[in-house]
Amino acid sequence: MPTGVITDFNSFLTDDVIKNGLDFTKPTQQNAEGDDFIEIKGLPSGNAFYKNSLGMPIKLRGQPLKVKDILSLNVAKSSGEFEIIDNIIQRRIKGVSVNDLLEMDRLYIMAWLREQSFIRTPLKVNYFKCSECGHQNRDVTISIKDFIIYSLQSGTKDPKFDLPVSQQRVELKYERHGDVKRVINYIKENESFREITDSDAYLFRIASMLKGKSIESGIEFLEKLCPEDFAAINTVVNSMETGITNIAKVKCGKEECQHENLIRIPFSGDFYLPKLQPRMVT
């Protein structure tokens, strides 16, 4: 996600101030085939890069999470625990393999799966104070559409450009999840020989985005560039940063205010396994 874009957060919400309210008015969604896999709409990629062997567009479809999924996510330490999330995506998503899934779509899909799994109990912000008027807002329902999402423009393709100094042609590709795992494995293979710094990891990542090159050949290519040429590549890479953030725009409930507040929603255990109080009977 782009860094430095949002700098003024009026609220930071931890897990214990997010809750879900009961609302049994919404029906379970099914498609025409009778199963519960439905099209995933609103992907940051615009679904532009998913095609079958004939080059025809593929629409990704998803199925609500099951109990074993939300239990796994509840104990996960972070959204970066690839194995847990990969296994869930493999079970609940049709149309693309885990490794071919664009990284920009991955977290969006996880948020989408959560929303589809709790249709009757939408996510609610328990409390926040409006940064504009000071009104104390309670139990505000939010959806995936309220999150700040950086999406590709229609017709976007993998970037191809000439470097300003050497005039070498460079082709980059939007990251697939398989590329991310290649970088992680490359780091593991090399960290026993030397310390891998954050700048090293960043260089490895850019190398993995170079079309037609291995990580090693990509690193060699990048390190031989002059600073101006590398800066050009880095600028393009930064412009490719897209996806869902964990920031939601939530309007103040005061009628004469309606100010949009930026609220951070942690994608952690309670996000996938909310505290939901049933109606007690005697």
Side-chain angles (χ1 to χ4, degrees):
M1 256 59 67
T3 57
V5 177
I6 301 170
T7 57
D8 183 19
F9 301 124
N10 65 288
S11 267
F12 180 84
L13 300 187
T14 53
D15 293 349
D16 60 347
V17 294
I18 295 179
K19 72 173 187 179
N20 288 262
L22 295 174
D23 177 8
F24 295 100
T25 61
K26 297 182 180 179
T28 300
Q29 298 185 38
Q30 287 191 332
N31 61 21
E33 299 173 359
D35 64 28
D36 54 357
F37 278 88
I38 61 175
E39 182 183 349
I40 303 174
K41 297 181 178 180
L43 288 169
S45 70
N47 216 58
F49 291 88
Y50 302 119
K51 302 182 187 302
N52 62 19
S53 58
L54 299 176
M56 302 295 292
I58 297 174
K59 291 183 179 180
L60 303 192
R61 296 195 299 147
Q63 177 191 56
L65 298 169
K66 306 301 181 184
V67 169
K68 64 179 180 180
D69 301 326
I70 61 176
L71 286 174
S72 297
L73 289 166
N74 187 53
V75 300
K77 294 179 181 179
S78 72
S79 60
E81 296 205 7
F82 290 160
E83 186 174 355
I84 291 175
I85 295 178
D86 286 355
N87 289 338
I88 291 172
I89 289 176
Q90 187 171 351
R91 290 193 295 265
R92 307 301 166 212
I93 302 300
K94 289 183 178 181
V96 66
S97 69
V98 171
N99 286 342
D100 289 335
L101 182 65
L102 287 162
E103 195 65 12
M104 71 179 80
D105 290 336
R106 190 166 178 268
L107 187 56
Y108 178 92
I109 285 175
M110 293 306 298
W112 182 92
L113 287 171
R114 189 265 176 226
E115 185 165 273
Q116 294 300 314
S117 304
F118 292 92
I119 288 178
R120 296 183 179 89
T121 55
L123 190 69
K124 287 191 175 183
V125 177
N126 186 24
Y127 168 82
F128 72 91
K129 185 176 181 180
C130 178
S131 61
E132 182 71 15
C133 71
H135 177 68
Q136 297 183 12
N137 293 265
R138 299 182 184 277
D139 297 340
V140 181
T141 298
I142 61 175
S143 73
I144 197 170
K145 294 179 180 179
D146 296 312
F147 285 88
I148 295 176
I149 301 172
Y150 297 94
S151 300
L152 296 182
Q153 295 182 353
S154 178
T156 297
K157 298 180 180 179
D158 286 332
K160 182 190 299 185
F161 52 96
D162 294 329
L163 296 177
V165 177
S166 67
Q167 293 298 303
Q168 295 182 84
R169 176 67 52 86
V170 173
E171 293 185 57
L172 297 175
K173 60 180 178 179
Y174 283 96
E175 284 179 292
R176 272 66 174 176
H177 188 54
D179 297 323
V180 175
K181 291 199 290 188
R182 281 198 304 126
V183 171
I184 291 174
N185 290 334
Y186 188 81
I187 290 173
K188 289 179 179 179
E189 292 170 0
N190 288 274
E191 62 186 356
S192 59
F193 302 105
R194 66 180 181 89
E195 180 184 359
I196 304 298
T197 65
D198 289 344
S199 60
D200 289 329
Y202 184 65
L203 184 69
F204 300 165
R205 181 193 170 214
I206 297 178
S208 74
M209 297 171 67
L210 291 168
K211 276 191 177 180
K213 295 184 181 296
S214 66
I215 292 179
E216 285 188 346
S217 63
I219 292 171
E220 183 179 2
F221 171 78
L222 293 169
E223 289 183 335
K224 289 181 178 179
L225 294 175
C226 69
E228 290 95 334
D229 280 351
F230 180 80
I233 292 177
N234 187 63
T235 299
V236 177
V237 168
N238 287 338
S239 73
M240 297 166 70
E241 298 284 359
T242 51
I244 188 172
T245 71
N246 64 345
I247 308 297
K249 292 182 179 181
V250 187
K251 284 187 178 181
C252 175
K254 192 174 182 180
E255 188 172 351
E256 57 269 32
C257 180
Q258 298 289 300
H259 175 70
E260 283 190 337
N261 295 263
L262 302 178
I263 309 294
R264 188 186 299 272
I265 308 294
F267 291 171
S268 51
D270 280 0
F271 181 80
Y272 298 104
L273 182 56
K275 296 177 176 65
L276 201 162
Q277 180 63 47
R279 297 185 180 94
M280 307 304 291
V281 296
T282 57

